[in-house]
Amino acid sequence: MDIDQLIAAHNDQTLPDHRESFGYLSQKLERRNIEVPPIIDKLQRFQIAIPSWALGTGGTRFGRFSGGGEPRNLEEKIADVGLLHALNQSSGAISLHIPWDIPEDVAAIQDLAASYGLAFDAVNSNTFQDQPGQKYSDKFGSLCHTDAKIRQQAIDHNLEVIRYGDALGSKALTIWLADGSSFPGQLNFRKALQRTLDSLREIYASLPADWKIFIEYKPYEPNFYSTVIQDWGTSHLLASKLGDKAFSLVDLGHHLPNTNIEQIVATLMMQGKLGGFHFNDSKYGDDDLTVGAIKPYQLFLIFNELVEGMEDPASSNPSPAWMIDASHNLKDPLEDLLQSIEAIKIAYAQALLVDRAALEEAREQNDPTMAQEILQAAYRTDVRPLLAEARLRSGGSLAPISLYRHAMVRQQLIKERGSKTQSTGL
Ligand code: RM4
Ligand code: MN
Ligand code: MN
């Protein structure tokens, strides 16, 4: 049976239950004067890119326990994202990491992606690992390096990534740098930032006219004392100096504990400079866990700011690029991604329920109690039937994980690909 038939058969079984819960929720929302159809429509249109490195089991520096059936090449990665998209109708794009996923036959890769209804999202460069055959080492930095030859090598790599992305139809380059220092005194901060800006300017000059460049920031790791682009302020400074095509990218895992990420989102949107978003969750470190697994309320508050910015007709911020950026240590990567997408859309739907006029009124009245009541009314609503309805209308599955298990997808993949496969990536 093909996937669409499986989805239809499985949906038939769960439909009565869904109809009941969706009907009940719709009535309740209508009584709260919330129009359901526009929310369903927004949920149907919301697409979150899957990075090509998230289809395999990640690991820690201590080890990696492959679950088997991992994609062995770019074609199989595209097939995995195609399967996710068939199930949830929200993963309609793939984000490639070069050189982990160099497309050998561009036309064939494009055709394959199109056959699954997938587009190519931002391409990502990699100057945080030395590649086989690479002339100079990035051990002490790339775009910030003291040696002009090494900076040039990193610039050239980014230009090569743009060329691959351009051939495939991507419209953005994401740069994340591991550059920094692990010991006080190792790096001249001022000069390192200046060199980074100068290198970025060269990359920026080669961006195709309709492209954007996203500058990611991160406070630590793999460097443990300083990072050249440590925070949103540094990223914003670089993006502002570069020009209109440059934006900051917020990765949830790249903040120190208790950082008010929702305020960063609001600030960048106020400047029209929020370009992209990397979703993950963590208790301690970077991108360790499934989105929404630890801090769903924070995710909701972030979406509250995103929706506020996106729905404001006066906002100059372009629609941000959405991507998952998490590693998968224990779970089946495809199940993990299905859960992450669900968590993101839950937060989005809840943010769409916020009574913005009433919230503004509470703010005008300096009434924090009422402001909290309004946010809680949205956050405490179980919006999952709205997500299921959006999937159903788009031809997806009412219950993706249940179907995935029922159809024994992983077992099939292990049969086809073997139990000892390992994808390229982290
Ligand atoms: C980094 C950063 C980048 C991602 C790599 C794999 O921490 O989040 O976005 O490309 O990991
Ligand atoms: Mn990231
Ligand atoms: Mn990261």
Side-chain angles (χ1 to χ4, degrees):
M1 238 202 274
D2 79 348
I3 188 71
D4 290 332
Q5 286 172 312
L6 278 170
I7 290 172
H10 197 253
N11 281 354
D12 277 349
Q13 287 168 25
T14 34
L15 203 53
D17 244 16
H18 167 66
R19 288 260 176 269
E20 193 186 313
S21 41
F22 179 62
Y24 177 75
L25 178 59
S26 300
Q27 279 175 11
K28 285 192 71 161
L29 292 177
E30 272 152 30
R31 255 182 267 131
R32 280 160 60 186
N33 285 325
I34 296 172
E35 275 189 77
V36 173
I39 296 179
I40 302 286
D41 186 54
K42 283 174 190 165
L43 289 172
Q44 282 182 272
R45 279 188 280 121
F46 198 64
Q47 299 294 321
I48 303 137
I50 306 293
S52 57
W53 65 96
L55 284 331
T57 318
T60 68
R61 64 201 167 96
F62 297 104
R64 176 162 162 164
F65 305 96
S66 168
E70 292 188 6
R72 293 163 294 183
N73 48 45
L74 182 53
E75 286 78 1
E76 290 181 353
K77 291 180 178 185
I78 290 174
D80 278 10
V81 180
L83 172 71
L84 291 173
H85 190 46
L87 292 173
N88 66 21
Q89 294 295 321
S90 300
S91 313
I94 181 164
S95 184
L96 299 189
H97 221 295
I98 307 292
W100 291 336
D101 297 294
I102 293 193
E104 268 153 34
D105 181 344
V106 169
I109 288 292
Q110 275 176 319
D111 285 350
L112 184 67
S115 74
Y116 293 109
L118 305 178
F120 288 94
D121 204 70
V123 273
N124 304 264
S125 57
N126 179 341
T127 57
F128 50 87
Q129 292 169 323
D130 285 349
Q131 304 303 326
Q134 183 173 317
K135 197 159 177 197
Y136 307 112
S137 173
D138 290 323
K139 179 173 177 184
F140 290 106
S142 58
L143 296 183
C144 86
H145 205 282
T146 48
D147 185 335
K149 292 193 298 295
I150 300 184
R151 296 200 296 279
Q152 192 58 48
Q153 175 182 266
I155 293 166
D156 291 343
H157 165 67
N158 276 280
L159 301 189
E160 186 193 6
V161 174
I162 294 175
R163 282 195 295 277
Y164 281 122
D166 201 29
L168 287 168
S170 291
K171 293 286 173 216
L173 168 70
T174 297
I175 296 190
W176 171 69
L177 299 175
D179 297 17
S181 65
S182 278
F183 295 96
Q186 182 189 329
L187 202 64
N188 181 320
F189 295 145
R190 203 165 48 86
K191 288 186 182 170
L193 185 56
Q194 182 65 55
R195 289 192 294 258
T196 302
L197 173 59
D198 294 344
S199 303
L200 285 171
R201 281 203 164 113
E202 296 210 26
I203 299 167
Y204 186 87
S206 293
L207 270 188
D210 56 347
W211 272 52
K212 295 181 185 134
I213 183 169
F214 301 145
I215 317 275
E216 212 168 332
Y217 57 91
K218 183 171 180 177
Y220 84 102
E221 199 205 17
N223 274 295
F224 293 119
Y225 171 62
S226 79
T227 299
V228 175
I229 310 179
Q230 61 164 334
D231 58 10
W232 74 271
T234 314
S235 160
H236 180 55
L237 178 150
L238 293 169
S240 300
K241 286 196 181 284
L242 287 175
D244 292 347
K245 293 190 278 181
F247 298 84
S248 293
L249 184 145
V250 175
D251 181 316
L252 289 178
H254 295 189
H255 298 91
L256 296 173
N258 301 327
T259 300
N260 188 334
I261 303 173
E262 53 270 30
Q263 192 176 6
I264 294 173
V265 165
T267 306
L268 288 172
M269 284 191 118
M270 190 266 257
Q271 289 292 307
K273 280 293 199 185
L274 178 66
F277 220 94
H278 284 179
F279 294 102
N280 45 58
D281 208 347
S282 53
K283 181 86 177 151
Y284 305 109
D286 176 25
D287 60 43
D288 302 330
L289 300 171
T290 318
V291 183
I294 302 281
K295 291 169 285 200
Y297 190 52
Q298 174 185 268
L299 189 62
F300 161 74
L301 292 174
I302 289 169
F303 263 99
N304 187 42
E305 297 303 331
L306 289 168
V307 166
E308 162 100 22
M310 290 190 293
E311 309 247 311
D312 178 359
S315 168
S316 60
N317 204 87
S319 181
W322 315 106
M323 193 186 88
I324 308 251
D325 190 5
S327 69
H328 318 276
N329 281 334
L330 299 178
K331 291 178 184 166
D332 175 322
L334 292 174
E335 293 187 356
D336 192 319
L337 288 162
L338 288 171
Q339 289 183 321
S340 281
I341 299 279
E342 178 90 354
I344 293 166
K345 290 178 76 186
I346 287 174
Y348 180 38
Q350 288 171 329
L352 289 171
L353 298 186
V354 171
D355 185 341
R356 283 187 194 277
L359 185 58
E360 266 321 295
E361 180 57 22
R363 289 164 173 172
E364 294 294 327
Q365 301 299 326
N366 292 307
D367 186 347
T369 304
M370 197 44 70
Q372 183 174 333
E373 289 295 302
I374 292 161
L375 289 187
Q376 290 291 321
Y379 178 66
R380 302 289 177 189
T381 307
D382 183 356
V383 293
R384 288 175 296 179
L386 300 178
L387 273 63
E389 180 67 18
R391 283 196 299 272
L392 182 69
R393 290 191 194 176
S394 296
S397 167
L398 281 170
I401 298 237
S402 150
L403 171 55
Y404 182 89
R405 292 259 168 133
H406 175 80
M408 305 217 291
V409 174
R410 181 56 61 185
Q411 288 85 339
Q412 296 293 330
L413 292 174
I414 290 174
K415 226 188 268 169
E416 280 167 34
R417 300 172 182 172
S419 56
K420 291 267 177 290
T421 59
Q422 199 170 319
S423 310
T424 48
L426 286 178

